[in-house]
Amino acid sequence: MCGVRQKNMASYLKTTKELLVFLGKSLFSVLKALIFTFIPKPRKNVAGETVLITGSGSGLGRLLALQFARLGSVLVLWDVNTEANEETCRMAQEAGAMKVKKEVGDVSILINNAGIVTGKKFLDCPDELMEKSFNVNFKAHLWTYKAFLPTMIANNHGHLVCISSSAGLVGVNGLADYCASKFAAVGFAESMFVETFAQKQKGIKTTIVCPFFIKTGMFEGCTTSSPTLLPILEPEYVVRKIIDAILQEQLYLYMPKFLYLVMFLKSVLPVKTGLLIADYVGAFNVMDGFTGQKKKT
């Protein structure tokens, strides 16, 4: 009987200890987050880091390449548009890149940025375009992780950056295939973050970026009826925020900040109320004027 009591007491003390440790760590993490809300986190040095950027021939990809060049990184630039990508390489070298590599080798910062959009209602979207959306916007992430994550794990050093979209957080009228691919990209990046955390691979960092529409031409013709809450974003601003998020090892980056509120309201409000808010801010009509990226002739 005495042995049973001792065993129960030991179990109780162990459970209590685990609870106290959990509460202590939770409180510390909350306080740390609050402090860094008011005091900027230290920015890591990426000079000499090998940064691979997909979709680097234009838009965000090109601007990211130029920013990392100024930070002294070694660049690996991928884009299906060879001519545009060569121009990015030239600009990056002028901006101060330590090196723009033709061969890949080990990569320490992987930025999956390439993306395409069809901009058609689901039943009007050709099958081959939907397949292409998934291949570029999501499946490419699988293969780049497969290629470069093992070395990051071996070195216990790396940073995985997913450039997704606000359309990877909430459904958008007229963007069914795009939303599906971007939701997949967010879910994959978040799952891989959890996987590396669970395996105690503390040197592997993740940043998931979800911006509203950006003035890169990709969503040409799209409008917002609530520019204060949901402005069409300037690419230079977006890139500046992405760089800050990477250097400060921030997990989630939503732009504009209104999206953080949207995600909270989506979780707590009745569906009908959420739809009323979406209608009020004009979310159902953002794609009405879509023309898309104009091809150069």
Side-chain angles (χ1 to χ4, degrees):
M1 192 70 173
C2 184
V4 173
R5 286 181 178 176
Q6 287 178 339
K7 188 175 181 181
N8 289 340
M9 178 59 70
S11 177
Y12 172 76
L13 290 173
K14 181 183 178 184
T15 302
T16 303
K17 180 183 176 182
E18 289 175 349
L19 176 61
L20 290 173
V21 170
F22 163 72
L23 291 174
K25 287 183 176 180
S26 298
L27 180 60
F28 176 76
S29 66
V30 171
L31 290 174
K32 186 177 178 181
L34 287 173
I35 289 170
F36 286 130
T37 301
F38 302 101
I39 302 173
K41 287 181 69 176
R43 295 157 63 95
K44 66 182 177 183
N45 183 8
V46 293
E49 299 279 3
T50 300
V51 183
L52 190 154
I53 304 171
T54 67
S56 54
S58 62
L60 289 189
R62 173 174 286 179
L63 293 175
L64 284 167
L66 296 179
Q67 285 299 318
F68 275 104
R70 296 182 183 107
L71 292 169
S73 302
V74 176
L75 299 178
V76 179
L77 305 178
W78 285 2
D79 198 286
V80 294
N81 189 329
T82 306
E83 185 179 343
N85 206 39
E86 287 295 330
E87 176 65 11
T88 301
C89 290
R90 183 190 64 77
M91 295 169 70
Q93 287 170 332
E94 290 179 357
M98 289 187 66
K99 187 179 181 184
V100 180
K101 298 170 68 174
K102 296 288 185 183
E103 70 284 356
V104 180
D106 294 342
V107 168
S108 52
I109 300 177
L110 171 63
I111 304 179
N112 278 304
N113 164 74
I116 61 170
V117 61
T118 58
K120 297 178 181 292
K121 294 287 195 294
F122 175 67
L123 293 179
D124 297 328
C125 188
D127 293 352
E128 62 272 17
L129 288 184
M130 286 195 287
E131 287 284 351
K132 190 174 181 181
S133 287
F134 271 84
N135 287 338
V136 175
N137 297 346
F138 166 56
K139 288 184 181 179
H141 297 210
L142 301 178
W143 312 136
T144 53
Y145 272 53
K146 280 273 190 181
F148 303 116
L149 183 57
T151 302
M152 292 184 184
I153 292 172
N155 297 332
N156 194 31
H157 177 74
H159 202 136
L160 304 163
V161 183
C162 168
I163 308 296
S164 184
S165 167
S166 58
L169 301 173
V170 292
V172 181
N173 177 33
L175 279 179
D177 63 315
Y178 183 79
C179 285
S181 66
K182 290 298 187 178
F183 265 83
V186 170
F188 173 65
E190 192 170 67
S191 296
M192 289 307 303
F193 161 71
V194 174
E195 187 171 306
T196 55
F197 179 83
Q199 294 180 7
K200 296 181 169 51
Q201 294 157 352
K202 295 182 179 180
I204 312 298
K205 309 301 179 182
T206 295
T207 296
I208 302 170
V209 182
C210 296
F212 188 56
F213 297 155
I214 308 168
K215 295 178 185 177
T216 58
M218 187 173 176
F219 284 93
E220 191 68 37
C222 293
T223 57
T224 175
S225 59
S226 301
T228 302
L229 297 176
L230 286 173
I232 307 293
L233 302 168
E234 295 291 340
E236 293 79 9
Y237 166 79
V238 174
V239 167
R240 190 164 64 248
K241 298 295 286 186
I242 292 172
I243 294 291
D244 284 344
I246 294 171
L247 298 185
Q248 295 177 358
E249 297 179 345
Q250 180 178 335
L251 178 57
Y252 298 107
L253 173 63
Y254 301 161
M255 294 173 279
K257 289 185 181 297
F258 179 64
L259 289 178
Y260 292 99
L261 178 60
V262 168
M263 294 305 294
F264 173 73
L265 294 178
K266 181 183 177 183
S267 302
V268 299
L269 289 180
V271 172
K272 190 169 183 179
T273 307
L275 292 173
L276 287 170
I277 293 172
D279 188 31
Y280 176 74
V281 299
F284 297 144
N285 306 109
V286 292
M287 292 295 293
D288 288 357
F290 174 80
T291 58
Q293 191 93 45
K294 293 181 173 63
K295 293 184 178 180
K296 294 179 180 179
T297 55

